[in-house]
Amino acid sequence: MSLFAMGFLLVILQPSTGQFPRACANTESLLRKECCPLWDGDRSPCGELSRRGSCQNILLSQAPLGPQFPFSGVDDREDWPSIFYNRTCKCEGNFMGFNCGECKFGFSGPNCTERRLRTRRNIFQLTTSEKDKFLAYLNLAKNTPSQDYVIATGTYTQMNNGSNPMFRNINVYDLFVWMHYYASRDTLLGGSNVWRDIDFAHEAPGFLPWHRAFLLMWEREIQKITGDENFTIPYWDWRDAEDCEVCTDEYMGGRHPTNPNLLSPASFFSSWQVICTRSEEYNSQQALCNATSEGPILRNPGNNDKSRTPRLPSSAEVEFCLSLTQYESGSMDKMANYSFRNTLEGFADPRTAISNISQSGLHNALHIYMNGSMSQVQGSANDPIFVLHHAFVDSIFERWLRRHRPMLEVYPAANAPIGHNRENYMVPFIPLYRNGEFFKPSRELGYDYAYLQEPVPDSFQEFLIPYLEQARQIWVWLVGAAVIGGIVTAVLTGLILTCRKKRRGTSSEIQPLLTESEDYNNISYQSNF
């Protein structure tokens, strides 16, 4: 049976489902503010009987936030997820999941003790059968209901503080489109008022860790619905590309022959319907996206505003970005200068690292270049190119982590925009993940990139690498110190020799006693750098 047929049958035979755990999307859980579902393995909350986890109070970060969001108590996403739940499963060891029923990223096996390392590959280096399987998996996800999650179609207030649950089923692919929308949507202030300067997944330090977690969760869901535990997201290396190389019917869909804004009917992506793209409509109605179909995917690559994004990013721009030593700086938002995060995200010039929001560089450039569904933040994940693009952005983040080897403390602990401090939980993920948990090398999370693979260094090499990197950064000062040290050594040697000559001229009664084996004139001191 084909994968498409499998997906079609699942839609017919099973109830449609979709980011709040289904087991917690009910009046009882909302009123108790508790989400600690039973684990099927032993039928106890959080698998407590099997020592997988336990139901515990959520500990929220008390670190101060930046000034970008001047409100309190008006948005369900503040202090996530405490508006909905203040008790969730805390998993032990390598267990993970909303009921501790899964393994942490990078682990597998019945007791989650087996380490696994999967490799993400360039989409153009996949064989034809591998590429076709990836496309089929995407289509299967679009036609397969999520068995574990549902989405919220109303705010907590609209749910009458939990007594009137408002949730809806959704397919696996659109679940992730909705999560991306929910994290980046505007704050509804009542009436026709909204606050736009808020985003829990962009324009601040959490941009890279949030999307890293997002892709890992997306990968995990595809593995679950296909049974393919080795599945990984491919990436598109867009450096120096002259056009959209993946925009063909063989890959992610070519251009429609008569309407340049649509996809070719030869691609099954042309039949996909988008969701969560009408932000102004939701704002005017003070409503959330309810995942209603809103039309086909739009894409017209290259016919974008050239004054904002003249071309796709270059290798030189990526290399400059990687040379930046500060992960975050200043206001820690889209106005930050010399920030690796802000430069990679695309709000700072990729040649100077100075903030310039009138231009779109690197990550943002690709979104603008696609000139369609990808170009609107809240609905950008509707276009399947999104996952290829963000996998490559994540690989650049990985290169920076490996080059600079930052401590966790490099990620801001306080004063970042709302939701972006190190210990804040990421919106809208349940199970809960903190931003800082994904500020680490990808191999610790169980995956690598084909073009970054290298032999695992031994412990002595790992010990030396950070010191060699520091030496590389201060080599000018080391050379200067060597020159000065040489001059000082020469002066001291001259003074010592002069003193010794003077001493030879004194009486034998006061000369130091010399043995035949000691020849002080042949002693030399040398400093090596």
Side-chain angles (χ1 to χ4, degrees), residues 49-64:
L49 292 178
S50 301
R51 298 184 179 179
R52 298 175 77 95
S54 58
C55 189
Q56 296 190 16
N57 293 333
I58 296 171
L59 299 178
L60 297 173
S61 170
Q62 301 301 313

PDB file of all heavy atoms in Angstrom, residues 49-64:
ATOM      1  N   LEU A  49       5.001   4.508  38.560  1.00  0.00           N
ATOM      2  CA  LEU A  49       5.223   3.163  39.094  1.00  0.00           C
ATOM      3  C   LEU A  49       6.468   2.516  38.504  1.00  0.00           C
ATOM      4  O   LEU A  49       7.078   1.646  39.140  1.00  0.00           O
ATOM      5  CB  LEU A  49       3.997   2.279  38.830  1.00  0.00           C
ATOM      6  CG  LEU A  49       2.723   2.651  39.595  1.00  0.00           C
ATOM      7  CD1 LEU A  49       1.581   1.720  39.201  1.00  0.00           C
ATOM      8  CD2 LEU A  49       2.969   2.610  41.105  1.00  0.00           C
ATOM      9  N   SER A  50       6.834   2.930  37.297  1.00  0.00           N
ATOM     10  CA  SER A  50       8.042   2.402  36.646  1.00  0.00           C
ATOM     11  C   SER A  50       9.231   3.338  36.815  1.00  0.00           C
ATOM     12  O   SER A  50      10.259   3.178  36.155  1.00  0.00           O
ATOM     13  CB  SER A  50       7.768   2.169  35.155  1.00  0.00           C
ATOM     14  OG  SER A  50       6.706   1.263  34.974  1.00  0.00           O
ATOM     15  N   ARG A  51       9.058   4.331  37.675  1.00  0.00           N
ATOM     16  CA  ARG A  51      10.109   5.308  37.964  1.00  0.00           C
ATOM     17  C   ARG A  51      10.577   6.058  36.715  1.00  0.00           C
ATOM     18  O   ARG A  51      11.745   6.399  36.575  1.00  0.00           O
ATOM     19  CB  ARG A  51      11.308   4.617  38.634  1.00  0.00           C
ATOM     20  CG  ARG A  51      10.961   3.987  39.974  1.00  0.00           C
ATOM     21  CD  ARG A  51      12.167   3.396  40.652  1.00  0.00           C
ATOM     22  NE  ARG A  51      11.807   2.819  41.952  1.00  0.00           N
ATOM     23  CZ  ARG A  51      12.667   2.212  42.760  1.00  0.00           C
ATOM     24  NH1 ARG A  51      13.941   2.100  42.396  1.00  0.00           N
ATOM     25  NH2 ARG A  51      12.266   1.715  43.909  1.00  0.00           N
ATOM     26  N   ARG A  52       9.631   6.314  35.828  1.00  0.00           N
ATOM     27  CA  ARG A  52       9.946   7.115  34.649  1.00  0.00           C
ATOM     28  C   ARG A  52       9.813   8.610  34.954  1.00  0.00           C
ATOM     29  O   ARG A  52      10.488   9.442  34.348  1.00  0.00           O
ATOM     30  CB  ARG A  52       9.028   6.735  33.475  1.00  0.00           C
ATOM     31  CG  ARG A  52       9.180   5.293  33.031  1.00  0.00           C
ATOM     32  CD  ARG A  52       8.184   4.931  31.957  1.00  0.00           C
ATOM     33  NE  ARG A  52       8.567   5.457  30.647  1.00  0.00           N
ATOM     34  CZ  ARG A  52       9.247   4.759  29.730  1.00  0.00           C
ATOM     35  NH1 ARG A  52       9.637   3.520  29.995  1.00  0.00           N
ATOM     36  NH2 ARG A  52       9.530   5.298  28.560  1.00  0.00           N
ATOM     37  N   GLY A  53       8.918   8.971  35.860  1.00  0.00           N
ATOM     38  CA  GLY A  53       8.716  10.367  36.205  1.00  0.00           C
ATOM     39  C   GLY A  53       7.647  10.501  37.270  1.00  0.00           C
ATOM     40  O   GLY A  53       7.141   9.514  37.797  1.00  0.00           O
ATOM     41  N   SER A  54       7.294  11.748  37.551  1.00  0.00           N
ATOM     42  CA  SER A  54       6.255  12.009  38.559  1.00  0.00           C
ATOM     43  C   SER A  54       5.596  13.344  38.266  1.00  0.00           C
ATOM     44  O   SER A  54       6.158  14.190  37.569  1.00  0.00           O
ATOM     45  CB  SER A  54       6.857  12.016  39.970  1.00  0.00           C
ATOM     46  OG  SER A  54       7.884  12.985  40.084  1.00  0.00           O
ATOM     47  N   CYS A  55       4.399  13.519  38.808  1.00  0.00           N
ATOM     48  CA  CYS A  55       3.643  14.760  38.608  1.00  0.00           C
ATOM     49  C   CYS A  55       4.117  15.790  39.624  1.00  0.00           C
ATOM     50  O   CYS A  55       4.050  15.561  40.837  1.00  0.00           O
ATOM     51  CB  CYS A  55       2.162  14.484  38.783  1.00  0.00           C
ATOM     52  SG  CYS A  55       1.096  15.862  38.301  1.00  0.00           S
ATOM     53  N   GLN A  56       4.631  16.922  39.140  1.00  0.00           N
ATOM     54  CA  GLN A  56       5.210  17.915  40.036  1.00  0.00           C
ATOM     55  C   GLN A  56       4.790  19.327  39.644  1.00  0.00           C
ATOM     56  O   GLN A  56       4.398  19.596  38.504  1.00  0.00           O
ATOM     57  CB  GLN A  56       6.737  17.814  40.033  1.00  0.00           C
ATOM     58  CG  GLN A  56       7.267  16.499  40.567  1.00  0.00           C
ATOM     59  CD  GLN A  56       8.766  16.514  40.770  1.00  0.00           C
ATOM     60  OE1 GLN A  56       9.394  17.573  40.798  1.00  0.00           O
ATOM     61  NE2 GLN A  56       9.345  15.336  40.905  1.00  0.00           N
ATOM     62  N   ASN A  57       4.888  20.235  40.628  1.00  0.00           N
ATOM     63  CA  ASN A  57       4.620  21.647  40.363  1.00  0.00           C
ATOM     64  C   ASN A  57       5.655  22.191  39.380  1.00  0.00           C
ATOM     65  O   ASN A  57       6.832  21.834  39.431  1.00  0.00           O
ATOM     66  CB  ASN A  57       4.679  22.459  41.651  1.00  0.00           C
ATOM     67  CG  ASN A  57       3.554  22.107  42.609  1.00  0.00           C
ATOM     68  OD1 ASN A  57       2.487  21.658  42.182  1.00  0.00           O
ATOM     69  ND2 ASN A  57       3.787  22.309  43.895  1.00  0.00           N
ATOM     70  N   ILE A  58       5.197  23.072  38.511  1.00  0.00           N
ATOM     71  CA  ILE A  58       6.101  23.706  37.552  1.00  0.00           C
ATOM     72  C   ILE A  58       6.863  24.830  38.244  1.00  0.00           C
ATOM     73  O   ILE A  58       6.267  25.663  38.938  1.00  0.00           O
ATOM     74  CB  ILE A  58       5.300  24.268  36.355  1.00  0.00           C
ATOM     75  CG1 ILE A  58       4.635  23.130  35.583  1.00  0.00           C
ATOM     76  CG2 ILE A  58       6.194  25.080  35.438  1.00  0.00           C
ATOM     77  CD1 ILE A  58       3.664  23.603  34.521  1.00  0.00           C
ATOM     78  N   LEU A  59       8.163  24.852  38.069  1.00  0.00           N
ATOM     79  CA  LEU A  59       8.991  25.915  38.629  1.00  0.00           C
ATOM     80  C   LEU A  59       9.278  26.933  37.525  1.00  0.00           C
ATOM     81  O   LEU A  59       9.967  26.639  36.552  1.00  0.00           O
ATOM     82  CB  LEU A  59      10.303  25.344  39.180  1.00  0.00           C
ATOM     83  CG  LEU A  59      10.153  24.330  40.315  1.00  0.00           C
ATOM     84  CD1 LEU A  59      11.514  23.807  40.751  1.00  0.00           C
ATOM     85  CD2 LEU A  59       9.425  24.964  41.503  1.00  0.00           C
ATOM     86  N   LEU A  60       8.718  28.126  37.669  1.00  0.00           N
ATOM     87  CA  LEU A  60       8.869  29.171  36.656  1.00  0.00           C
ATOM     88  C   LEU A  60      10.071  30.053  36.962  1.00  0.00           C
ATOM     89  O   LEU A  60      10.400  30.291  38.123  1.00  0.00           O
ATOM     90  CB  LEU A  60       7.613  30.030  36.603  1.00  0.00           C
ATOM     91  CG  LEU A  60       6.320  29.321  36.187  1.00  0.00           C
ATOM     92  CD1 LEU A  60       5.133  30.254  36.342  1.00  0.00           C
ATOM     93  CD2 LEU A  60       6.420  28.820  34.744  1.00  0.00           C
ATOM     94  N   SER A  61      10.698  30.543  35.914  1.00  0.00           N
ATOM     95  CA  SER A  61      11.817  31.463  36.078  1.00  0.00           C
ATOM     96  C   SER A  61      11.321  32.796  36.643  1.00  0.00           C
ATOM     97  O   SER A  61      10.286  33.322  36.221  1.00  0.00           O
ATOM     98  CB  SER A  61      12.505  31.702  34.734  1.00  0.00           C
ATOM     99  OG  SER A  61      13.439  32.756  34.822  1.00  0.00           O
ATOM    100  N   GLN A  62      12.063  33.341  37.599  1.00  0.00           N
ATOM    101  CA  GLN A  62      11.733  34.642  38.174  1.00  0.00           C
ATOM    102  C   GLN A  62      12.650  35.743  37.649  1.00  0.00           C
ATOM    103  O   GLN A  62      12.611  36.870  38.143  1.00  0.00           O
ATOM    104  CB  GLN A  62      11.837  34.572  39.699  1.00  0.00           C
ATOM    105  CG  GLN A  62      10.916  33.536  40.340  1.00  0.00           C
ATOM    106  CD  GLN A  62       9.457  33.786  40.029  1.00  0.00           C
ATOM    107  OE1 GLN A  62       8.974  34.910  40.134  1.00  0.00           O
ATOM    108  NE2 GLN A  62       8.748  32.733  39.619  1.00  0.00           N
ATOM    109  N   ALA A  63      13.478  35.413  36.667  1.00  0.00           N
ATOM    110  CA  ALA A  63      14.421  36.397  36.126  1.00  0.00           C
ATOM    111  C   ALA A  63      13.666  37.526  35.439  1.00  0.00           C
ATOM    112  O   ALA A  63      12.639  37.306  34.785  1.00  0.00           O
ATOM    113  CB  ALA A  63      15.377  35.725  35.148  1.00  0.00           C
ATOM    114  N   PRO A  64      14.146  38.762  35.558  1.00  0.00           N
ATOM    115  CA  PRO A  64      13.460  39.906  34.935  1.00  0.00           C
ATOM    116  C   PRO A  64      13.493  39.819  33.412  1.00  0.00           C
ATOM    117  O   PRO A  64      14.416  39.247  32.831  1.00  0.00           O
ATOM    118  CB  PRO A  64      14.253  41.112  35.443  1.00  0.00           C
ATOM    119  CG  PRO A  64      15.599  40.565  35.803  1.00  0.00           C
ATOM    120  CD  PRO A  64      15.363  39.184  36.298  1.00  0.00           C
TER     121      PRO A  64
END
